[in-house]
């Protein structure tokens, strides 16, 4: 019995010694320069406020064409998630039955509802960095085959 108690203490001490050695080796191998520390603790995101001119910086240059994305690009980025399958009664892309009552109200109303939100649709369809012209281009893309 005395032998078993001695083995347990030796095992516990061995584990503590191993952890201490591993921790000290890791601490020595980590770069502790000011630049490395600043890089490790830098923010992972930036906050953009409404009306901030730099909000457009979030859009990818590949999707931009002379400062404006195509209707298809905006649709693929922000609209397809709901309008491809009709989520929460969103009019499905290219489906005349879904779009005709809305088109009957006029393009100005369609654009206003898209910009300000209407029923289950959030303002700008969650594309907060889309211009009004880009929103209009996305609507035109969704109804072009009707």
């Amino acid at each position: 019995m005395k032998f078993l108690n001695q083995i347990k203490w030796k095992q516990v001490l061995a584990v503590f010694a191993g952890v201490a050695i591993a921790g000290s080796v890791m601490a020595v191998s980590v770069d502790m320069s000011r630049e490395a520390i600043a890089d490790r603790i830098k923010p992972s995101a930036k906050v953009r406020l409404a009306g901030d001119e730099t909000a457009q910086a979030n859009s990818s240059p590949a999707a931009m064409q002379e400062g404006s994305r195509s209707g298809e690009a905006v649709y693929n980025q922000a609209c397809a998630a709901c309008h491809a399958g009709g989520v929460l009664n969103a009019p499905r892309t290219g489906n005349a039955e879904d779009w005709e009552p809305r088109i009957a109200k006029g393009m100005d109303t369609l654009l206003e509802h898209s910009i300000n939100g209407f029923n289950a649709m959030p303002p700008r369809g969650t594309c907060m960095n889309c211009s009004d012209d880009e929103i209009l281009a996305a609507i035109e893309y969704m109804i072009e085959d009707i």
Side-chain angles (χ1 to χ4, degrees):
M1 188 66 134
K2 187 175 180 182
F3 177 73
L4 291 176
N5 287 336
Q6 287 177 343
I7 291 177
K8 288 180 187 176
W9 281 107
K10 289 179 183 177
Q11 290 173 341
V12 170
L13 286 174
V15 168
F16 279 124
V19 169
I21 292 170
S24 64
V25 168
M26 186 176 152
V28 170
S29 66
V30 174
D31 185 4
M32 297 301 288
S33 68
R34 288 188 178 275
E35 295 80 22
I37 293 170
D39 188 50
R40 284 195 299 271
I41 65 171
K42 69 182 177 190
S44 60
K46 294 182 181 179
V47 175
R48 303 276 188 212
L49 300 176
D52 187 1
E53 291 180 21
T54 59
Q56 289 292 335
N58 290 338
S59 58
S60 67
M64 301 296 286
Q65 295 175 355
E66 297 177 18
S68 179
R69 290 169 280 199
S70 68
E72 182 178 11
V74 172
Y75 170 81
N76 289 331
Q77 174 195 345
C79 309
C82 296
H83 288 279
V87 175
L88 295 173
N89 295 321
R92 292 168 290 180
T93 303
N95 186 307
E97 185 178 319
D98 290 354
W99 281 99
E100 285 174 351
R102 291 166 172 89
I103 293 171
K105 294 178 183 178
M107 197 58 133
D108 290 338
T109 302
L110 268 175
L111 182 60
E112 180 185 338
H113 288 172
S114 299
I115 291 171
N116 299 319
F118 186 73
N119 292 335
M121 182 172 171
R124 297 190 176 276
T126 70
C127 185
M128 300 314 289
N129 66 348
C130 288
S131 69
D132 293 356
D133 290 337
E134 291 171 330
I135 299 288
L136 179 60
I139 295 169
E140 290 171 345
Y141 174 78
M142 287 187 273
I143 65 175
E144 72 184 355
D145 293 332
I146 297 176

